Amino acid sequence: MTEKETLTQKLRSGKPTFGMTMYSGSNAAIEIAGNWGLDFAFIDAEHTAVNVDLHLEKLILSAKLSGIAPLIRTRGTIEWDIRKSLELGAAGVIIPQVNTAEQAKAIVRAAKFPPLGRRGGDASVRAAGFAGPNFKWSTYTQTANEESLVIPMAESYEFFDNIDAILDVQGIDVINFGPADYSLSRQIPIDYSMSNQEVNERLDELIEKCHARGIKVMAPCIPPTPENAIKLAEKGVDMIILGNDVMFLNQGCQRASEAMKAVNG
């Protein structure tokens, strides 16, 4: 992805995009992912110590420095988290545990400027170029509405009970499928690989109904092998999450442990 082609533009072209989840709160992990050409960094503020503060700002700046689009998973449908993440320069927000159309409407209301939503505005923020040269409110709000991705998560049986009403909410750009929490909600074995028939069927249903409405789909690729990535792309997944930084640290430390044990006998 070049500087002239944003993540949103790449999605509109129909090309699959690739990223990884960042749990460690490490600037280096984000920059390394960008150096290797990944399209987006899924920065988690739901399950981690990361908050919407100066720490998150540094992570966003690391992404921008290395040419990878920063997407922030917030703590929930919290207007302040959504608005401030976007004002800090995030390319989009990922919202966990969305179960109803009312929640989806609240997310769009917080993330999009009128007429799509009711996002509060201030020009003295990074997203507005700090009201610098040639700043225009009309250009800022229109570009933000077109380029900032609103990504609710489908990670419960309640989401699928209400799927049509949720997807009919105007202003949703992408749905992120969460197989682990979906499995927890159904009290079935957790299956990130989605080999479980029910989990796989929910992803197929999501892709079909999202694409019929012009909405993109994000899903994890576990384990992140070329074969699995190809399968997801052929299935119709538009944004493929190729593992996470903690996973890769564990894999590296496992190899180190094996080397240590080989020496020690």
Side-chain angles (χ1 to χ4, degrees), residues 44-94:
D44 185 69
E46 180 193 11
H47 296 291
T48 70
V50 174
N51 286 310
V52 184
D53 56 14
L54 287 172
H55 183 188
L56 180 63
E57 182 179 39
K58 290 179 181 178
L59 298 179
I60 289 172
L61 289 174
S62 293
K64 290 181 173 294
L65 174 68
S66 54
I68 187 170
L71 302 175
I72 312 305
R73 178 158 65 182
T74 66
R75 293 176 292 174
T77 54
I78 302 169
E79 181 179 358
W80 183 89
D81 279 13
I82 293 169
R83 181 179 66 251
K84 199 162 186 179
S85 295
L86 294 171
E87 288 178 337
L88 289 172
V93 285
I94 300 167

Side-chain angles (χ1 to χ4, degrees), residues 103-259:
Q103 286 178 300
K105 290 175 184 176
I107 294 164
V108 173
R109 180 182 175 87
K112 299 285 189 179
F113 290 112
L116 292 174
R118 291 298 302 275
R119 173 177 161 184
D122 196 303
S124 301
V125 297
R126 178 170 294 103
F130 299 106
N134 302 315
F135 172 78
K136 292 182 180 179
W137 270 104
S138 58
T139 302
Y140 168 46
T141 56
Q142 180 180 346
T143 301
N145 277 355
E146 292 174 352
E147 296 292 329
S148 298
L149 294 172
V150 173
I151 311 175
M153 291 195 67
E155 53 181 349
S156 67
Y157 69 84
E158 291 97 338
F159 180 98
F160 288 92
D161 286 346
N162 299 308
I163 185 169
D164 291 309
I166 293 171
L167 297 184
D168 284 340
V169 173
Q170 296 300 305
I172 293 173
D173 302 293
V174 184
I175 297 291
N176 178 23
F177 181 54
D181 274 340
Y182 174 79
S183 299
L184 283 171
S185 78
R186 289 280 294 113
Q187 300 181 54
I188 59 178
I190 293 176
D191 179 30
Y192 271 112
S193 70
M194 290 177 279
S195 59
N196 179 285
Q197 181 177 351
E198 179 179 339
V199 175
N200 189 56
E201 288 174 353
R202 292 291 79 75
L203 177 58
D204 286 340
E205 178 186 6
L206 184 67
I207 292 169
E208 179 183 358
K209 292 190 173 185
C210 280
H211 286 181
R213 294 168 170 85
I215 298 171
K216 303 296 186 180
V217 175
M218 174 190 287
C221 179
I222 306 294
T225 63
E227 295 78 14
N228 286 340
I230 289 170
K231 287 179 183 177
L232 286 177
E234 290 177 344
K235 184 185 281 285
V237 175
D238 308 283
M239 303 181 73
I240 299 174
I241 307 168
L242 297 168
N244 64 73
D245 54 355
V246 172
M247 171 192 293
F248 299 142
L249 280 170
N250 270 311
Q251 291 172 349
C253 288
Q254 180 181 0
R255 289 193 293 271
S257 177
E258 290 168 352

